[in-house]
């Protein structure tokens, strides 16, 4: 992990002793909103979604987390309970780094703290981008931006998005109905082709200038 690449093996050993592996099957809850946060998680493989769940059971996906990415650092530093629920979208292996051993290493190696601050700052910057997208961009523009991020870069080359359309819609702050309507409009205009979870970008420039 980049977070710890400045530490010699002797200094990594205490962190290893305070780290545990968590294997989660698809659909398994890692933690619920309100559970105590006593460390942070890193995804080794698989995918995690962080969601707000309303009293009526409606989910709002706030973040999708893949291999190499972490979550929970901010609440760990604040000593707060989790404010979201974490669920595995596919079979996932996580590392949970305990707060106490990590704080000891931060006291000894300020470089670790700097790297964690840099990571949190990048995440804040990304969240601000989300706010901008929700307020200034149309639903179609948000979906197109998502598809172009996932697109491998070759027009006409199909690619799969393993997460469900309902999860994508929630992450983009769209209702499932609105999400489906946008996909249909883009398909009818010959900009994309959709077959289940397989997408094909047919007209890259057309997508980039489409405003919906």
């Amino acid at each position: 992990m980049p977070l710890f690449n400045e530490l010699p093996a002797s200094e990594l050993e205490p962190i290893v002793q305070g780290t545990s592996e968590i294997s989660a099957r698809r659909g398994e809850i890692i933690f619920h909103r309100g559970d105590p946060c006593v460390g942070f998680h890193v995804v080794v493989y698989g995918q995690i979604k962080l969601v707000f769940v309303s009293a009526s059971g409606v989910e709002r996906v706030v973040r999708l987390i893949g291999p190499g990415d972490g979550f929970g650092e901010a609440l760990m530093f604040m000593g707060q309970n989790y404010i979201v629920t974490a669920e595995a979208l596919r079979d996932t292996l996580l590392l949970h780094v305990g707060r106490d051993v990590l704080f000891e290493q931060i006291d000894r190696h300020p470089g670790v703290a700097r790297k964690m601050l840099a990571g949190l700052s990048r995440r804040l910057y990304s969240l601000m981008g989300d706010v901008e997208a929700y307020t200034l961009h149309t639903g179609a523009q948000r979906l197109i931006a998502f598809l172009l991020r996932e697109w491998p870069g070759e027009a006409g080359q199909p690619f799969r998005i393993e997460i469900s359309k309902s999860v994508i819609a929630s992450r983009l702050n769209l209702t499932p109905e609105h999400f489906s309507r946008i996909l249909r409009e883009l398909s009818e205009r010959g900009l994309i082709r959709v077959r289940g979870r397989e997408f094909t970008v047919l007209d890259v420039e057309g997508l980039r200038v489409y405003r919906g």
Side-chain angles (χ1 to χ4, degrees), residues 43-62:
V43 177
V44 179
Y45 63 76
Q47 191 169 42
I48 297 291
K49 67 175 179 180
L50 302 183
V51 298
F52 288 117
V53 182
S54 70
S56 60
V58 176
E59 287 189 355
R60 168 74 172 84
V61 179
V62 296

Side-chain angles (χ1 to χ4, degrees), residues 7-20:
L7 297 184
S10 61
E11 298 295 342
L12 280 173
E13 185 59 29
I15 296 178
V16 171
Q17 297 303 318
T19 299
S20 57

Side-chain angles (χ1 to χ4, degrees), residues 109-156:
H109 298 276
V112 174
R114 287 196 299 271
K115 288 192 174 185
M116 296 195 80
L117 284 171
L120 290 171
S121 297
R122 285 193 298 270
R123 199 167 303 155
L124 176 61
Y125 184 81
S126 175
L127 289 172
M128 293 303 295
D130 288 344
V131 172
E132 179 186 23
Y134 296 155
T135 54
L136 300 179
H137 299 165
T138 68
Q141 289 172 321
R142 298 199 298 273
L143 176 53
I144 288 170
F146 175 83
L147 291 176
L148 291 178
R149 285 196 300 270
E150 298 293 322
W151 176 53
E154 183 178 346

